[in-house]
Amino acid sequence: MTALLTVADAHVSYGKVEAVRSVSLEVRPGEIVTIVGANGAGKTTLLNAIMGVLPLQGTVSFAGTNLGPLDIEDRVSAGLSLVPEHRELFATMSVEENLQLGAFRNAAAAARSFERVYALFPRLQERRAQLAGTLSGGEQQMLAMGRALMGQPKLLMLDEPSLGLAPRIVADIFKIIADLKQAGVAVLLVEQNAQAALQIADRAYVMELGEFVLSGAAKDIAADQRVIASYLGFQHEEAAAS
Ligand code: ATP
């Protein structure tokens, strides 16, 4: 199947420090792909560069279009969206106003997007008049994802969606990610919770010190001895003990 997103030989630097080195990846339509790696491996940097927030050397193409010359807004229009690690909601605006900011300017398309987002996150509909800053952490993550979905992306990039959330809420968020796949949205997922990410993903890349060191089917990566030792060992022991 032709890839939706193709990144070829990407390099991203902060001044003289190269945070992403020679990274290539693919996400196919409707696929969940995860990037696992330790703190500081370069995962956030890579997502931001794909979105156009940071300059990238190399090639990024999306649905057959070279994204190089496109600014962030045009990348969103092309069908790419990023939910950043810190969610970046407007705290003093309501849930509905935050969602509106992610909507198409076309009123009919916006109405359809609201319907779709509220169907996926009934909690946001219940709380649509509440100020974003007063939502719980899990609700804020849902709102950040909902806002990104208002633009009807073909590919949603999620940076640490489970960060700081209680296990039960993490399970809800992962269930929604699986629902998105069913709805035909491809997902590029960056997660510290490698166990949960590898369970839900079709394919995975392992990132260390700015480079991909391993890639393959998520179930194969989850069974890899080095991955178990570095990223899953403790969680495996916890799961076995509970
Ligand atoms: P985490 O899971 O902790 O967010 P990460 O894999 O997402 O880690 P990045 O945040 O992309 O990693 O960071 C990759 C490297 O780039 C790190 O060494 C980090 O210190 C460095 N870095 C990140 N942002 C900047 C910045 N604005 N200026 C300089 N260096 C940065």
Side-chain angles (χ1 to χ4, degrees):
M1 197 191 289
T2 325
L4 183 59
L5 174 72
T6 306
V7 176
D9 196 20
H11 295 254
V12 188
S13 301
Y14 297 104
K16 289 192 178 130
V17 180
E18 206 172 36
V20 171
R21 276 193 301 278
S22 198
V23 160
S24 298
L25 73 85
E26 261 187 21
V27 182
R28 297 170 201 137
E31 200 179 34
I32 300 178
V33 174
T34 188
I35 304 171
V36 295
N39 278 330
K43 306 178 300 294
T44 297
T45 300
L46 177 60
L47 292 194
N48 285 334
I50 293 171
M51 198 63 227
V53 179
L54 291 170
L56 172 149
Q57 274 187 294
T59 322
V60 182
S61 60
F62 186 72
T65 303
N66 174 16
L67 292 186
L70 304 191
D71 62 17
I72 298 172
E73 205 172 317
D74 288 339
R75 292 180 196 215
V76 172
S77 300
L80 187 62
S81 201
L82 170 67
V83 180
E85 187 171 350
H86 299 294
R87 295 163 195 159
E88 292 167 20
L89 299 169
F90 293 92
T92 57
M93 291 169 77
S94 70
V95 165
E96 193 140 302
E97 286 164 341
N98 270 277
L99 290 176
Q100 186 70 50
L101 288 172
F104 278 118
R105 289 181 181 78
N106 166 336
R112 271 198 308 279
S113 293
F114 268 114
E115 220 169 88
R116 196 165 158 237
V117 167
Y118 284 149
L120 208 52
F121 304 99
R123 185 92 66 97
L124 294 183
Q125 186 163 25
E126 285 163 24
R127 294 173 182 270
R128 61 184 180 276
Q130 189 171 327
L131 298 186
T134 66
L135 295 172
S136 71
E139 289 162 356
Q140 290 192 7
Q141 180 59 39
M142 290 177 196
L143 180 53
M145 288 170 70
R147 185 179 58 184
L149 289 168
M150 289 295 290
Q152 300 180 2
K154 297 189 188 91
L155 172 64
L156 188 63
M157 297 192 287
L158 297 170
D159 194 356
E160 302 278 2
S162 76
L163 195 71
L165 304 182
R168 193 174 49 78
I169 311 294
V170 173
D172 288 348
I173 296 289
F174 275 85
K175 162 85 174 56
I176 289 162
I177 296 171
D179 289 347
L180 287 176
K181 177 186 162 83
Q182 291 307 317
V185 180
V187 175
L188 181 55
L189 173 67
V190 157
E191 258 297 335
Q192 294 265 336
N193 187 341
Q195 174 100 311
L198 288 170
Q199 263 172 23
I200 200 178
D202 299 296
R203 288 190 307 109
Y205 296 88
V206 179
M207 192 170 199
E208 282 175 11
L209 299 173
E211 292 176 277
F212 284 171
V213 293
L214 205 61
S215 66
K219 63 175 186 337
D220 296 338
I221 299 289
D224 183 277
Q225 287 308 317
R226 279 175 299 166
V227 173
I228 291 172
S230 303
Y231 305 107
L232 299 174
F234 179 62
Q235 287 160 357
H236 269 221
E237 282 161 25
E238 269 189 334
S242 62

